[in-house]
Coordinates of all heavy atoms in Angstrom, one line a residue:
G15 N -10.2 4.3 37.5 CA -9.8 4.5 36.1 C -10.2 5.8 35.5 O -10.9 6.6 36.1
F16 N -9.6 6.2 34.4 CA -9.9 7.4 33.7 C -9.9 7.2 32.2 O -9.3 6.2 31.7 CB -9.0 8.5 34.1 CG -7.5 8.3 33.8 CD1 -7.0 8.8 32.6 CD2 -6.7 7.6 34.6 CE1 -5.7 8.6 32.2 CE2 -5.4 7.3 34.2 CZ -4.9 7.9 33.0
L17 N -10.6 8.1 31.5 CA -10.6 8.0 30.0 C -9.5 8.8 29.4 O -9.3 10.0 29.8 CB -12.0 8.4 29.5 CG -13.1 7.5 29.8 CD1 -14.4 8.1 29.3 CD2 -12.9 6.2 29.1
K18 N -8.9 8.3 28.4 CA -7.9 9.0 27.6 C -8.1 8.6 26.2 O -8.0 7.4 25.9 CB -6.5 8.7 28.1 CG -5.4 9.4 27.3 CD -4.0 9.0 27.8 CE -3.0 9.6 27.0 NZ -1.6 9.2 27.4
S19 N -8.5 9.5 25.3 CA -8.7 9.3 23.9 C -9.8 8.2 23.7 O -9.7 7.3 22.9 CB -7.4 8.8 23.2 OG -6.5 9.8 23.3
G20 N -10.8 8.2 24.6 CA -11.9 7.3 24.5 C -11.6 5.9 25.0 O -12.4 5.0 24.9
K21 N -10.5 5.7 25.7 CA -10.1 4.4 26.2 C -10.0 4.5 27.7 O -9.6 5.5 28.2 CB -8.8 3.8 25.7 CG -8.9 3.5 24.2 CD -7.6 2.8 23.7 CE -7.7 1.4 24.2 NZ -6.6 0.6 23.7
L22 N -10.3 3.5 28.4 CA -10.3 3.4 29.9 C -8.9 3.0 30.3 O -8.4 2.0 29.9 CB -11.3 2.5 30.5 CG -11.4 2.4 32.0 CD1 -11.8 3.7 32.6 CD2 -12.3 1.3 32.4
F23 N -8.2 3.8 31.1 CA -6.9 3.5 31.6 C -6.9 3.4 33.2 O -7.8 4.0 33.8 CB -5.9 4.5 31.2 CG -5.5 4.4 29.8 CD1 -6.2 5.0 28.8 CD2 -4.3 3.8 29.4 CE1 -5.9 4.9 27.5 CE2 -3.9 3.7 28.1 CZ -4.7 4.3 27.1
Y24 N -6.0 2.7 33.7 CA -5.9 2.6 35.2 C -4.5 3.0 35.6 O -3.5 2.7 35.0 CB -6.2 1.2 35.7 CG -7.6 0.8 35.5 CD1 -8.0 0.1 34.4 CD2 -8.6 1.1 36.5 CE1 -9.3 -0.3 34.2 CE2 -9.9 0.7 36.3 CZ -10.3 0.0 35.1 OH -11.6 -0.3 35.0
E25 N -4.5 3.8 36.7 CA -3.2 4.2 37.2 C -2.6 3.1 38.0 O -3.3 2.5 38.8 CB -3.3 5.5 38.0 CG -2.0 6.1 38.5 CD -2.1 7.4 39.1 OE1 -3.2 7.9 39.3 OE2 -1.1 7.9 39.5
V26 N -1.3 2.8 37.8 CA -0.7 1.7 38.5 C 0.5 2.2 39.2 O 1.3 3.0 38.7 CB -0.2 0.6 37.5 CG1 0.6 -0.4 38.2 CG2 -1.4 0.0 36.8
V27 N 0.6 1.8 40.5 CA 1.8 2.1 41.3 C 2.4 0.8 41.7 O 1.8 0.0 42.4 CB 1.5 3.0 42.5 CG1 2.8 3.3 43.3 CG2 0.8 4.3 42.0
D28 N 3.7 0.5 41.3 CA 4.4 -0.7 41.7 C 5.5 -0.3 42.6 O 6.6 0.1 42.1 CB 4.9 -1.4 40.5 CG 5.5 -2.7 40.8 OD1 5.9 -3.0 42.0 OD2 5.7 -3.5 39.9
Y29 N 5.3 -0.3 43.9 CA 6.3 0.2 44.8 C 7.6 -0.7 44.8 O 8.6 -0.2 45.1 CB 5.7 0.3 46.3 CG 4.6 1.3 46.4 CD1 3.3 0.9 46.4 CD2 4.9 2.7 46.4 CE1 2.3 1.9 46.5 CE2 3.9 3.6 46.5 CZ 2.6 3.2 46.5 OH 1.6 4.2 46.6
D30 N 7.4 -2.0 44.6 CA 8.6 -2.9 44.6 C 9.5 -2.6 43.4 O 10.7 -2.7 43.6 CB 8.1 -4.3 44.5 CG 7.3 -4.8 45.7 OD1 7.6 -4.2 46.8 OD2 6.5 -5.6 45.6
N31 N 9.0 -2.2 42.3 CA 9.8 -2.0 41.1 C 9.9 -0.5 40.7 O 10.5 -0.2 39.6 CB 9.3 -2.8 39.9 CG 9.3 -4.3 40.2 OD1 10.4 -4.8 40.6 ND2 8.2 -5.0 40.1
G32 N 9.4 0.4 41.4 CA 9.5 1.8 41.2 C 8.7 2.3 40.0 O 9.1 3.3 39.4
Y33 N 7.7 1.6 39.6 CA 6.9 2.0 38.4 C 5.7 2.7 38.9 O 5.0 2.3 39.8 CB 6.5 0.8 37.6 CG 5.6 1.1 36.4 CD1 6.1 1.6 35.3 CD2 4.2 1.0 36.5 CE1 5.3 2.0 34.2 CE2 3.4 1.4 35.4 CZ 3.9 1.9 34.3 OH 3.1 2.2 33.2
N34 N 5.5 3.9 38.2 CA 4.3 4.7 38.5 C 3.8 5.2 37.2 O 4.4 6.0 36.5 CB 4.6 5.8 39.4 CG 3.3 6.6 39.8 OD1 2.2 6.3 39.4 ND2 3.5 7.6 40.7
G35 N 2.7 4.7 36.7 CA 2.2 5.1 35.4 C 0.8 4.6 35.1 O 0.1 4.2 36.0
C36 N 0.4 4.6 33.9 CA -0.9 4.2 33.5 C -0.9 3.0 32.5 O 0.1 2.9 31.7 CB -1.6 5.4 32.7 SG -1.7 6.9 33.7
V37 N -1.8 2.2 32.7 CA -1.9 1.0 31.8 C -3.3 0.9 31.2 O -4.3 1.3 31.8 CB -1.6 -0.3 32.5 CG1 -0.2 -0.3 33.1 CG2 -2.5 -0.6 33.7
D38 N -3.3 0.3 30.0 CA -4.6 0.0 29.3 C -4.9 -1.4 29.8 O -4.1 -2.3 29.5 CB -4.3 0.1 27.8 CG -5.6 -0.3 27.0 OD1 -6.6 -0.7 27.6 OD2 -5.5 -0.2 25.8
P39 N -6.1 -1.6 30.4 CA -6.4 -3.0 30.9 C -6.5 -4.0 29.7 O -6.3 -5.2 29.9 CB -7.7 -2.8 31.6 CG -8.2 -1.5 31.2 CD -7.1 -0.7 30.8
A40 N -6.7 -3.5 28.5 CA -6.8 -4.4 27.4 C -5.5 -5.1 27.1 O -5.4 -6.2 26.5 CB -7.2 -3.7 26.1
Q41 N -4.4 -4.6 27.6 CA -3.1 -5.2 27.4 C -3.0 -6.5 28.2 O -2.2 -7.4 27.9 CB -1.9 -4.3 27.7 CG -1.7 -4.1 29.1 CD -0.6 -3.0 29.4 OE1 -0.4 -2.1 28.6 NE2 0.1 -3.1 30.5
F42 N -3.8 -6.7 29.2 CA -3.9 -7.9 30.0 C -5.0 -8.8 29.6 O -4.8 -10.0 29.6 CB -4.1 -7.5 31.5 CG -3.0 -6.6 32.0 CD1 -3.3 -5.3 32.3 CD2 -1.7 -7.1 32.2 CE1 -2.3 -4.5 32.8 CE2 -0.7 -6.3 32.7 CZ -1.0 -4.9 33.0
Y43 N -6.1 -8.3 29.1 CA -7.2 -9.1 28.7 C -8.1 -8.3 27.7 O -8.4 -7.2 28.0 CB -8.1 -9.6 29.8 CG -9.3 -10.2 29.4 CD1 -9.3 -11.5 29.0 CD2 -10.5 -9.5 29.3 CE1 -10.5 -12.2 28.5 CE2 -11.7 -10.1 28.9 CZ -11.7 -11.4 28.5 OH -12.8 -12.0 28.0
S44 N -8.3 -8.9 26.6 CA -9.3 -8.3 25.7 C -9.9 -9.4 24.9 O -9.4 -10.5 24.7 CB -8.7 -7.2 24.8 OG -7.8 -7.8 23.9
K45 N -11.1 -9.1 24.4 CA -11.9 -10.1 23.6 C -12.5 -9.3 22.5 O -13.1 -8.2 22.7 CB -12.9 -10.8 24.5 CG -13.8 -11.7 23.7 CD -14.8 -12.3 24.7 CE -15.8 -13.2 24.0 NZ -16.8 -13.8 25.0
E46 N -12.4 -9.8 21.3 CA -13.0 -9.1 20.1 C -14.3 -9.8 19.8 O -14.4 -11.0 19.7 CB -12.1 -9.2 18.9 CG -10.9 -8.2 19.0 CD -10.1 -8.1 17.7 OE1 -10.2 -9.0 16.9 OE2 -9.4 -7.2 17.6
L47 N -15.3 -9.0 19.6 CA -16.6 -9.5 19.0 C -16.6 -9.1 17.6 O -16.4 -8.0 17.2 CB -17.8 -8.8 19.8 CG -17.8 -9.0 21.3 CD1 -19.0 -8.2 21.9 CD2 -17.9 -10.5 21.6
T48 N -16.8 -10.1 16.7 CA -16.8 -10.0 15.3 C -17.9 -10.7 14.7 O -18.7 -11.4 15.4 CB -15.4 -10.5 14.7 OG1 -15.3 -11.9 15.0 CG2 -14.2 -9.8 15.3
L49 N -18.0 -10.6 13.3 CA -19.1 -11.4 12.6 C -19.0 -12.8 13.1 O -18.0 -13.5 13.1 CB -18.9 -11.3 11.1 CG -19.3 -10.0 10.5 CD1 -18.9 -9.9 9.0 CD2 -20.8 -9.8 10.6
G50 N -20.2 -13.3 13.4 CA -20.3 -14.7 13.8 C -20.2 -15.0 15.3 O -20.6 -16.0 15.8
S51 N -19.8 -13.9 16.1 CA -19.7 -14.1 17.6 C -21.2 -14.2 18.1 O -22.1 -13.7 17.5 CB -19.1 -12.8 18.2 OG -17.8 -12.7 17.9
R52 N -21.3 -14.9 19.2 CA -22.6 -15.2 19.9 C -22.4 -15.1 21.4 O -21.3 -15.4 21.9 CB -23.1 -16.6 19.5 CG -23.4 -16.8 18.1 CD -23.9 -18.2 17.8 NE -24.1 -18.5 16.4 CZ -25.3 -18.3 15.8 NH1 -26.3 -17.9 16.5 NH2 -25.4 -18.6 14.5
G53 N -23.5 -14.8 22.1 CA -23.5 -14.9 23.5 C -23.9 -13.6 24.2 O -24.3 -12.6 23.6
D54 N -23.7 -13.7 25.6 CA -24.1 -12.6 26.4 C -23.4 -11.3 26.2 O -24.0 -10.2 26.3 CB -23.9 -13.0 27.9 CG -24.9 -14.1 28.4 OD1 -26.0 -14.3 27.7 OD2 -24.6 -14.8 29.3
D55 N -22.1 -11.4 25.8 CA -21.3 -10.2 25.5 C -21.9 -9.5 24.3 O -22.0 -8.2 24.3 CB -19.9 -10.5 25.2 CG -19.1 -10.9 26.5 OD1 -19.6 -10.5 27.6 OD2 -18.2 -11.7 26.4
V56 N -22.4 -10.2 23.3 CA -23.0 -9.6 22.1 C -24.4 -9.0 22.5 O -24.7 -7.9 22.1 CB -23.2 -10.6 21.0 CG1 -23.9 -10.0 19.8 CG2 -21.9 -11.2 20.6
V57 N -25.1 -9.6 23.4 CA -26.4 -9.0 23.9 C -26.1 -7.7 24.6 O -26.8 -6.7 24.3 CB -27.2 -10.0 24.8 CG1 -28.3 -9.3 25.5 CG2 -27.6 -11.2 24.1
K58 N -25.1 -7.7 25.4 CA -24.8 -6.4 26.1 C -24.4 -5.3 25.1 O -24.8 -4.2 25.3 CB -23.6 -6.7 27.1 CG -24.0 -7.5 28.3 CD -22.8 -7.8 29.2 CE -23.1 -8.8 30.2 NZ -21.9 -9.3 31.0
L59 N -23.6 -5.7 24.1 CA -23.2 -4.7 23.1 C -24.4 -4.2 22.4 O -24.6 -3.0 22.2 CB -22.2 -5.4 22.1 CG -21.9 -4.6 20.9 CD1 -21.3 -3.2 21.2 CD2 -21.0 -5.4 19.9
Q60 N -25.3 -5.1 22.0 CA -26.5 -4.7 21.2 C -27.4 -3.8 22.1 O -28.0 -2.8 21.5 CB -27.3 -6.0 20.8 CG -26.6 -6.7 19.7 CD -27.2 -8.1 19.4 OE1 -27.8 -8.7 20.2 NE2 -27.0 -8.6 18.2
K61 N -27.5 -4.1 23.4 CA -28.4 -3.3 24.2 C -27.8 -1.9 24.3 O -28.5 -0.9 24.3 CB -28.5 -3.9 25.6 CG -29.4 -5.1 25.7 CD -29.5 -5.6 27.1 CE -30.5 -6.8 27.1 NZ -30.6 -7.4 28.4
M62 N -26.4 -1.8 24.5 CA -25.8 -0.5 24.5 C -26.0 0.3 23.2 O -26.4 1.5 23.2 CB -24.3 -0.6 24.8 CG -23.5 0.7 25.0 SD -23.0 1.5 23.5 CE -21.8 0.3 22.8
L63 N -25.8 -0.4 22.1 CA -26.0 0.3 20.8 C -27.4 0.7 20.6 O -27.7 1.7 20.0 CB -25.5 -0.7 19.7 CG -24.0 -0.9 19.6 CD1 -23.7 -2.1 18.7 CD2 -23.2 0.3 19.2
K64 N -28.4 -0.2 21.0 CA -29.8 0.2 20.9 C -30.1 1.4 21.7 O -30.8 2.3 21.3 CB -30.6 -1.0 21.4 CG -32.1 -0.8 21.1 CD -32.9 -2.1 21.5 CE -33.2 -3.0 20.4 NZ -33.9 -2.5 19.3
A65 N -29.6 1.5 23.0 CA -29.9 2.6 23.8 C -29.4 3.9 23.2 O -29.9 5.0 23.5 CB -29.3 2.4 25.2
K66 N -28.3 3.8 22.4 CA -27.7 5.0 21.8 C -28.3 5.2 20.4 O -27.8 6.2 19.7 CB -26.2 4.9 21.8 CG -25.6 4.8 23.2 CD -24.1 4.8 23.1 CE -23.5 4.8 24.5 NZ -23.7 6.0 25.3
G67 N -29.2 4.4 19.9 CA -29.8 4.6 18.7 C -29.1 4.0 17.4 O -29.6 4.3 16.3
F68 N -28.1 3.2 17.6 CA -27.4 2.6 16.5 C -27.9 1.2 16.1 O -27.8 0.9 14.9 CB -25.9 2.5 16.8 CG -25.2 3.9 17.0 CD1 -25.0 4.4 18.3 CD2 -24.9 4.6 15.9 CE1 -24.4 5.7 18.4 CE2 -24.3 5.9 16.0 CZ -24.1 6.4 17.3
F69 N -28.4 0.5 17.0 CA -28.9 -0.9 16.8 C -30.4 -0.8 16.7 O -31.0 -0.6 17.7 CB -28.4 -1.9 17.8 CG -28.8 -3.3 17.6 CD1 -28.1 -4.1 16.6 CD2 -29.8 -3.9 18.3 CE1 -28.4 -5.4 16.4 CE2 -30.1 -5.3 18.1 CZ -29.4 -6.0 17.1
T70 N -30.9 -1.0 15.5 CA -32.4 -0.8 15.3 C -33.2 -2.1 15.1 O -34.4 -2.0 14.9 CB -32.6 0.1 14.1 OG1 -32.0 -0.5 12.9 CG2 -32.0 1.5 14.3
Y71 N -32.5 -3.2 15.2 CA -33.2 -4.5 15.1 C -34.2 -4.6 16.2 O -33.9 -4.1 17.3 CB -32.2 -5.7 15.0 CG -32.8 -7.0 14.6 CD1 -33.1 -7.1 13.2 CD2 -33.1 -8.0 15.4 CE1 -33.6 -8.3 12.7 CE2 -33.6 -9.2 15.0 CZ -33.9 -9.3 13.6 OH -34.4 -10.5 13.2
P72 N -35.4 -5.2 16.1 CA -36.4 -5.2 17.1 C -35.9 -5.8 18.4 O -36.4 -5.4 19.5 CB -37.6 -5.9 16.5 CG -37.3 -5.9 15.1 CD -35.9 -5.8 14.8
T73 N -35.1 -6.9 18.4 CA -34.6 -7.6 19.6 C -33.1 -7.7 19.6 O -32.5 -7.7 18.6 CB -35.3 -9.0 19.7 OG1 -34.9 -9.7 18.5 CG2 -36.8 -8.9 19.7
C74 N -32.6 -7.9 20.8 CA -31.2 -8.1 21.0 C -31.0 -9.7 20.9 O -31.5 -10.4 21.8 CB -30.7 -7.6 22.3 SG -30.8 -5.8 22.3
T75 N -30.4 -10.2 19.9 CA -30.4 -11.6 19.6 C -29.2 -12.3 20.2 O -29.2 -13.5 20.3 CB -30.4 -11.8 18.1 OG1 -29.2 -11.2 17.6 CG2 -31.6 -11.2 17.4
G76 N -28.1 -11.6 20.5 CA -26.9 -12.3 20.9 C -26.1 -12.8 19.8 O -25.1 -13.5 20.0
Y77 N -26.5 -12.5 18.5 CA -25.7 -12.9 17.4 C -25.1 -11.7 16.7 O -25.8 -10.7 16.4 CB -26.6 -13.7 16.4 CG -25.9 -14.0 15.1 CD1 -24.9 -14.9 15.1 CD2 -26.2 -13.3 13.9 CE1 -24.2 -15.2 13.9 CE2 -25.6 -13.6 12.7 CZ -24.5 -14.6 12.7 OH -23.9 -14.9 11.6
Y78 N -23.8 -11.7 16.5 CA -23.1 -10.6 15.8 C -23.1 -10.8 14.3 O -22.2 -11.4 13.8 CB -21.7 -10.5 16.4 CG -20.9 -9.2 16.1 CD1 -20.5 -8.5 17.2 CD2 -20.6 -8.7 14.9 CE1 -19.8 -7.3 17.0 CE2 -19.9 -7.6 14.7 CZ -19.5 -6.8 15.8 OH -18.8 -5.7 15.6
G79 N -24.1 -10.3 13.7 CA -24.3 -10.5 12.2 C -24.0 -9.1 11.5 O -23.5 -8.2 12.1
E80 N -24.5 -9.0 10.3 CA -24.3 -7.8 9.5 C -25.0 -6.6 10.1 O -24.4 -5.5 10.1 CB -24.9 -8.0 8.1 CG -24.1 -9.1 7.3 CD -22.7 -8.6 6.9 OE1 -22.4 -7.4 6.9 OE2 -21.8 -9.5 6.7
I81 N -26.1 -6.8 10.8 CA -26.8 -5.7 11.4 C -26.1 -5.1 12.6 O -25.9 -3.9 12.7 CB -28.3 -6.1 11.8 CG1 -29.1 -6.4 10.6 CG2 -29.0 -5.0 12.7 CD1 -30.4 -7.1 10.9
T82 N -25.5 -6.0 13.4 CA -24.7 -5.6 14.5 C -23.4 -4.9 14.1 O -23.0 -3.9 14.6 CB -24.4 -6.8 15.5 OG1 -25.6 -7.3 15.9 CG2 -23.6 -6.3 16.7
A83 N -22.8 -5.5 13.0 CA -21.5 -5.0 12.5 C -21.8 -3.5 12.0 O -21.0 -2.6 12.2 CB -21.0 -5.9 11.4
K84 N -22.9 -3.3 11.3 CA -23.2 -2.0 10.8 C -23.5 -1.0 11.9 O -23.0 0.1 11.9 CB -24.4 -2.0 9.9 CG -24.7 -0.6 9.3 CD -25.9 -0.6 8.3 CE -26.2 0.8 7.8 NZ -25.8 1.9 8.5
A85 N -24.1 -1.5 13.0 CA -24.4 -0.6 14.1 C -23.1 -0.2 14.8 O -22.9 0.9 15.2 CB -25.3 -1.3 15.1
V86 N -22.1 -1.2 14.9 CA -20.8 -0.9 15.5 C -20.1 0.1 14.6 O -19.5 1.1 15.1 CB -20.0 -2.2 15.6 CG1 -18.5 -1.9 16.0 CG2 -20.6 -3.1 16.8
T87 N -20.1 -0.1 13.3 CA -19.4 0.8 12.4 C -20.0 2.2 12.5 O -19.3 3.2 12.5 CB -19.4 0.3 10.9 OG1 -18.8 -1.0 10.9 CG2 -18.7 1.2 10.0
D88 N -21.3 2.3 12.6 CA -22.0 3.6 12.7 C -21.6 4.3 14.0 O -21.4 5.5 14.0 CB -23.5 3.4 12.6 CG -24.0 3.0 11.2 OD1 -23.2 3.1 10.3 OD2 -25.2 2.6 11.1
F89 N -21.5 3.5 15.1 CA -21.1 4.0 16.4 C -19.6 4.5 16.3 O -19.3 5.6 16.7 CB -21.2 2.9 17.5 CG -20.6 3.4 18.8 CD1 -21.4 4.0 19.7 CD2 -19.3 3.1 19.1 CE1 -20.9 4.4 20.9 CE2 -18.8 3.5 20.3 CZ -19.6 4.2 21.3
Q90 N -18.8 3.7 15.6 CA -17.4 4.1 15.5 C -17.3 5.4 14.7 O -16.5 6.3 15.1 CB -16.6 3.0 14.8 CG -16.4 1.8 15.7 CD -15.9 0.6 15.0 OE1 -16.1 0.4 13.8 NE2 -15.3 -0.3 15.8
K91 N -18.0 5.5 13.6 CA -18.0 6.7 12.8 C -18.4 7.9 13.5 O -17.8 9.0 13.5 CB -18.8 6.5 11.5 CG -18.8 7.6 10.5 CD -19.6 7.3 9.3 CE -19.4 8.4 8.3 NZ -20.2 8.1 7.0
A92 N -19.6 7.8 14.3 CA -20.1 8.9 15.0 C -19.2 9.4 16.1 O -19.2 10.5 16.5 CB -21.5 8.5 15.6
N93 N -18.3 8.5 16.6 CA -17.4 8.8 17.7 C -16.0 9.0 17.2 O -15.0 9.0 18.0 CB -17.5 7.8 18.8 CG -18.8 7.9 19.5 OD1 -19.0 8.7 20.4 ND2 -19.8 7.1 19.1
K94 N -15.8 9.1 15.9 CA -14.5 9.4 15.2 C -13.5 8.3 15.7 O -12.3 8.6 15.9 CB -14.0 10.8 15.6 CG -14.9 11.9 15.0 CD -14.4 13.2 15.4 CE -15.2 14.3 14.7 NZ -16.5 14.5 15.1
L95 N -13.9 7.1 15.7 CA -13.0 5.9 15.9 C -12.7 5.2 14.6 O -13.4 5.4 13.6 CB -13.7 5.0 16.9 CG -14.1 5.5 18.3 CD1 -15.1 4.6 19.0 CD2 -12.9 5.8 19.1
P96 N -11.6 4.4 14.6 CA -11.3 3.6 13.4 C -12.5 2.7 13.0 O -13.1 2.1 13.9 CB -10.1 2.8 13.8 CG -9.5 3.5 14.9 CD -10.6 4.2 15.7
L97 N -12.9 2.7 11.7 CA -14.1 2.0 11.2 C -13.7 0.5 11.0 O -13.3 0.2 9.9 CB -14.6 2.7 10.0 CG -15.0 4.1 10.1 CD1 -15.5 4.7 8.8 CD2 -16.0 4.3 11.2
T98 N -13.8 -0.3 12.0 CA -13.4 -1.7 11.9 C -14.6 -2.6 11.8 O -14.4 -3.7 11.4 CB -12.5 -2.1 13.1 OG1 -13.2 -2.0 14.3 CG2 -11.2 -1.2 13.1
G99 N -15.7 -2.2 12.4 CA -16.8 -3.1 12.5 C -16.6 -4.2 13.6 O -17.4 -5.1 13.8
V100 N -15.5 -4.1 14.3 CA -15.1 -5.0 15.4 C -15.2 -4.3 16.7 O -14.9 -3.2 16.8 CB -13.7 -5.6 15.2 CG1 -13.3 -6.4 16.3 CG2 -13.6 -6.3 13.9
W101 N -15.8 -5.0 17.7 CA -15.9 -4.4 19.1 C -15.0 -5.2 20.0 O -15.0 -6.4 20.1 CB -17.3 -4.6 19.6 CG -17.6 -3.7 20.8 CD1 -17.5 -4.1 22.1 CD2 -17.9 -2.3 20.8 NE1 -17.8 -3.0 22.9 CE2 -18.1 -1.9 22.1 CE3 -18.1 -1.4 19.8 CZ2 -18.4 -0.7 22.5 CZ3 -18.5 -0.1 20.1 CH2 -18.6 0.3 21.5
T102 N -14.1 -4.4 20.7 CA -13.2 -5.0 21.6 C -13.6 -4.8 23.0 O -13.9 -3.6 23.4 CB -11.7 -4.5 21.4 OG1 -11.3 -4.7 20.1 CG2 -10.8 -5.2 22.4
I103 N -13.7 -5.8 23.8 CA -14.1 -5.7 25.2 C -13.0 -6.1 26.2 O -12.1 -6.8 25.8 CB -15.4 -6.5 25.6 CG1 -15.3 -7.9 25.2 CG2 -16.6 -5.9 24.8 CD1 -16.4 -8.8 25.7

């Protein structure tokens, strides 16, 4: 895969149908983490945000509340991304 505009793309070659191009894997599967989300995906997000200095809560709780949403928005702002407060995986 490779990055284009901050998104990961994969080059695809379909020899049967003559297609050679790039696809965004999110078009096949994506999941949004939003206020109220819970679980391991939220813990992974919180750990990544903590490592980058955006998530400052003492522990990674696995709950996507106001603190996580603010950390996501701060990350988006710092990286010139749309300020949605939503994380798509």
Side-chain angles (χ1 to χ4, degrees):
F16 64 95
L17 288 175
K18 179 180 177 184
S19 301
K21 291 187 78 174
L22 181 63
F23 286 80
Y24 291 92
E25 186 172 359
V26 173
V27 178
D28 182 346
Y29 294 105
D30 295 330
N31 296 308
Y33 177 79
N34 185 357
C36 301
V37 297
D38 177 355
Q41 74 186 29
F42 300 109
Y43 170 79
S44 66
K45 177 181 178 182
E46 287 188 342
L47 300 177
T48 60
L49 284 173
S51 295
R52 296 177 183 271
D54 292 338
D55 289 333
V56 178
V57 171
K58 290 176 190 173
L59 171 61
Q60 290 170 334
K61 286 181 179 180
M62 182 278 295
L63 291 169
K64 185 177 268 303
K66 295 184 180 297
F68 294 100
F69 185 74
T70 57
Y71 196 73
T73 60
C74 296
T75 63
Y77 174 69
Y78 198 118
E80 293 293 334
I81 295 170
T82 303
K84 181 177 180 337
V86 167
T87 302
D88 291 348
F89 175 88
Q90 291 168 334
K91 185 175 183 179
N93 289 280
K94 297 179 174 67
L95 299 169
L97 304 179
T98 63
V100 174
W101 194 265
T102 302
I103 55 173

